[in-house]
Amino acid sequence: MKITVYCGAASGNDPKYTAAAKRLGKWIAGLDDGELVYGGGGVGLMGTVAQAVLDGGGKVHGIMPQMLIDRNAGATGLTTMEVVDDMDVRKRRMMELGDVLIAFPGGPGTLEEIAEAFSSSRIGLNDKPCVLFDLDGYWQPLAQMFDGMVAAGFLTAADRAKLLVTDSVDEITRFAATYQPPQIRTFPERK
């Protein structure tokens, strides 16, 4: 199983993030044919989760734009490193290659990536389960925002249920095994 992980190029200011990234990487490596798809970084939580997968005997596939390779952000020793033209291609490739898409704690880029993946599922461009890895409530403000979208009529409850918010790898495994993509959104004919 290929797990796409969106996460920070920084490590955060609490060692709990690094420790949890190592546990996530170990879980991925322990899956049947466990493979990581990620942004290709060798720094921050990105580097930590990738190294944990490699240390556990799993495969790691990095996807990074040339501009970041040129800035020495790329990890070395990966199973594969796909160099792409820009961030849009990177996001699309990460979504295409992964079987499950997980947002681990990170910054604006992580938020953008998982928001695009989840939004894409509603219009039929992504049939993969999306997960917010909610370490110590990190993603609760975003989960509450999505709940508010449901209450305000901008997101259906059925579609909201297609986004898992958890810090349990067992729950992620169950969610992925039974996941059915949202019904593709259609619109009434206009006159």
Side-chain angles (χ1 to χ4, degrees):
M1 180 182 303
K2 289 184 180 174
I3 308 293
T4 293
V5 176
Y6 308 113
C7 61
S11 295
N13 60 9
D14 190 318
K16 70 183 178 186
Y17 298 117
T18 297
K22 288 178 183 177
R23 286 193 307 273
L24 182 63
K26 183 177 179 180
W27 170 73
I28 293 169
L31 294 170
D32 189 27
D33 293 322
E35 300 182 34
L36 170 67
V37 175
Y38 84 121
V43 296
L45 296 178
M46 288 181 23
T48 299
V49 72
Q51 192 59 55
V53 174
L54 291 170
D55 290 347
K59 295 179 181 175
V60 176
H61 307 282
I63 303 168
M64 182 169 274
Q66 184 64 54
M67 68 172 185
L68 293 178
I69 294 286
D70 293 345
R71 296 180 198 170
N72 297 317
T76 58
L78 304 181
T79 308
T80 63
M81 174 67 90
E82 182 178 343
V83 180
V84 297
D85 290 336
D86 56 40
M87 296 296 277
D88 289 335
V89 175
R90 177 197 210 182
K91 288 185 293 183
R92 188 171 61 248
R93 290 293 293 148
M94 290 173 69
M95 198 181 327
E96 289 170 355
L97 294 177
D99 298 313
V100 177
L101 312 175
I102 299 175
F104 198 74
T110 303
L111 175 61
E112 175 193 12
E113 289 163 330
I114 196 64
E116 183 173 331
F118 181 51
S119 177
S120 294
S121 69
R122 298 184 69 221
I123 58 174
L125 298 177
N126 169 33
D127 62 357
K128 319 291 177 56
C130 295
V131 178
L132 298 175
F133 194 96
D134 194 35
L135 180 64
D136 288 344
Y138 186 84
W139 291 113
Q140 282 306 302
L142 182 58
Q144 291 168 4
M145 179 174 272
F146 284 129
D147 292 342
M149 290 176 188
V150 172
F154 291 107
L155 176 64
T156 68
D159 285 358
R160 168 63 182 86
K162 300 298 182 178
L163 177 67
L164 178 65
V165 182
T166 186
D167 65 353
S168 165
V169 293
D170 292 335
E171 195 172 349
I172 294 169
T173 302
R174 285 191 299 274
F175 183 70
T178 61
Y179 182 78
Q180 295 293 317
Q183 189 152 15
I184 295 175
R185 191 172 177 200
T186 59
F187 301 90
E189 191 173 319
R190 296 186 327 189
K191 297 178 182 182

